[in-house]
Amino acid sequence: MPLSLSRAEQRAKRAEDYPSIFGSINLTSIRENIGEILKLIGRDGIFREYTLHDANHINAMLALVDKLIPSDTVEQMKTADWLMIVLSCYFHDLGMLVTKREFEARNSCTEFLMFKGEILAGDKGKDYEEALEKLGAAEHEEFLYQEFVRQHHAKRVSHWIQGQDAPQYGDARAAVEAVNDLLAGLQQVVRDDLAKICLSHHEDDLFDLEKYQISRVYGDEPQGEANLHYAAVILRAVDVLQIQKKRVPPVLYKLIDPSNPKSQEEWVKQAGVRAVRPKTLPSGGESDT
């Protein structure tokens, strides 16, 4: 069945018509491959208890992009804006991918060894310690590495998009190669800014207009100008708003039976949300809330 693209994706796909600005890119191919890669998250034990971060998460985020951006803003946006927003939706959680090889090499990662000592410190550490006591030796290590990757997943994918290994966050050479294959034709300056946007969803600097330039120019065509700040805000908004029961199917909860405190917190939080939609005004129109 042919892949159905959202309105945002259809607008981003126009970047294929501007190779001198963006480079060689096949958005449909990237989307299809990202969907297959995301299926691997949780396959080898890491993140098997976590809420869904698969292609359905991307689909829901893109649907929210279509809903959130007002029509008058749509008319002003350029192809570069749509490309940044769509690609950031595709890639922002890819840093949660952990291969079997990476997990087996975990103890060669000095940052992880430091993390193991720090996670059990303080009041929050007591919750983790109680959960870890119920786990076997293998599950104990899986849980700790999962939490390490969760904390650093935005930094991981940011480096990967730029073509960097970033061994301080794990031996993820296979993932770096996969991302490089997908983005090989994209101009490096565009990749660098995409990495910045993906990283932004776990940063607290969204109001740094020097970092997230309002007018970032990639070429002499009008369609080659992007508002990186707006892209970062939209990514954060749709990622936060994509919280609802669809990401935590009850049947999966029963089969997975989450045991660690972070997974339990996320499953319960999202299970309580049936839908996210605009608030209705007394006049009957839609609020901006």
Side-chain angles (χ1 to χ4, degrees):
M1 181 182 294
L3 184 66
S4 177
L5 299 180
S6 67
R7 290 195 296 273
E9 289 173 296
Q10 292 170 25
R11 295 180 177 105
K13 191 171 174 61
R14 295 170 189 164
E16 297 173 4
D17 299 331
Y18 300 96
S20 63
I21 299 175
F22 304 108
S24 175
I25 181 173
N26 185 324
L27 194 74
T28 304
S29 177
I30 292 174
R31 171 67 190 278
E32 290 175 340
N33 281 283
I34 282 291
E36 293 303 311
I37 293 173
L38 289 174
K39 290 179 182 178
L40 302 178
I41 295 177
R43 187 189 65 175
D44 292 320
I46 306 297
F47 293 113
R48 67 173 177 269
E49 295 186 354
Y50 214 56
T51 52
L52 300 181
H53 285 77
D54 56 10
N56 291 319
H57 178 45
I58 291 178
N59 291 338
M61 287 177 66
L62 291 169
L64 281 168
V65 169
D66 288 342
K67 289 181 180 179
L68 284 181
I69 301 179
S71 57
D72 56 345
T73 303
V74 168
E75 294 175 4
Q76 299 178 53
M77 292 171 65
K78 307 293 193 297
T79 299
D81 293 313
W82 294 108
L83 186 65
M84 279 297 171
I85 291 171
V86 168
L87 288 181
S88 65
C89 287
Y90 288 176
F91 285 91
H92 74 290
D93 276 337
L94 198 64
M96 293 173 66
L97 173 65
V98 178
T99 64
K100 185 177 181 180
R101 174 180 173 178
E102 177 186 345
F103 178 69
E104 290 175 347
R106 65 192 179 281
N107 288 323
S108 65
C109 177
T110 55
E111 289 282 341
F112 172 59
L113 297 179
M114 291 174 57
F115 177 83
K116 288 173 71 172
E118 295 170 354
I119 191 173
L120 298 179
D123 293 336
K124 189 69 174 177
K126 294 178 182 178
D127 293 334
Y128 284 114
E129 193 169 9
E130 291 176 4
L132 290 172
E133 288 176 354
K134 303 174 185 177
L135 303 178
E139 291 178 316
H140 183 285
E141 282 294 290
E142 286 177 356
F143 169 74
L144 289 174
Y145 198 71
Q146 167 186 295
E147 292 304 290
F148 170 72
V149 169
R150 182 179 62 79
Q151 180 172 311
H152 295 295
H153 78 276
K155 294 177 182 176
R156 280 160 61 92
V157 77
S158 174
H159 284 286
W160 301 353
I161 289 170
Q162 295 176 84
Q164 302 168 358
D165 283 347
Q168 67 269 37
Y169 301 123
D171 181 3
R173 283 172 286 179
V176 176
E177 291 175 6
V179 172
N180 270 327
D181 287 343
L182 292 178
L183 298 177
L186 199 62
Q187 294 277 6
Q188 187 62 46
V189 65
V190 181
R191 289 180 64 164
D192 291 345
D193 284 344
L194 173 62
K196 191 183 303 180
I197 300 303
C198 288
L199 176 59
S200 75
H201 88 286
H202 261 231
E203 297 290 281
D204 58 1
D205 60 355
L206 279 182
F207 296 101
D208 185 347
L209 298 183
E210 290 186 11
K211 181 177 180 180
Y212 308 111
Q213 297 180 40
I214 291 178
S215 180
R216 180 64 156 146
V217 178
Y218 301 115
D220 57 6
E221 289 277 351
Q223 296 301 318
E225 181 180 354
N227 184 333
L228 301 184
H229 182 250
Y230 191 65
V233 169
I234 289 294
L235 174 64
R236 177 72 65 89
V238 298
D239 193 35
V240 169
L241 290 175
Q242 213 279 291
I243 168 176
Q244 59 189 113
K245 291 184 67 175
K246 291 180 181 178
R247 294 190 69 188
V248 287
V251 65
L252 287 187
Y253 187 88
K254 292 176 182 178
L255 293 172
I256 293 171
D257 189 19
S259 58
N260 80 66
K262 183 60 181 177
S263 292
Q264 291 174 347
E265 178 183 318
E266 287 296 317
W267 281 79
V268 171
K269 179 177 69 176
Q270 303 216 29
V273 181
R274 295 184 178 277
V276 175
R277 63 179 185 175
K279 183 178 180 180
T280 303
L281 295 172
S283 62
E286 282 189 359
S287 166
D288 60 0
T289 303

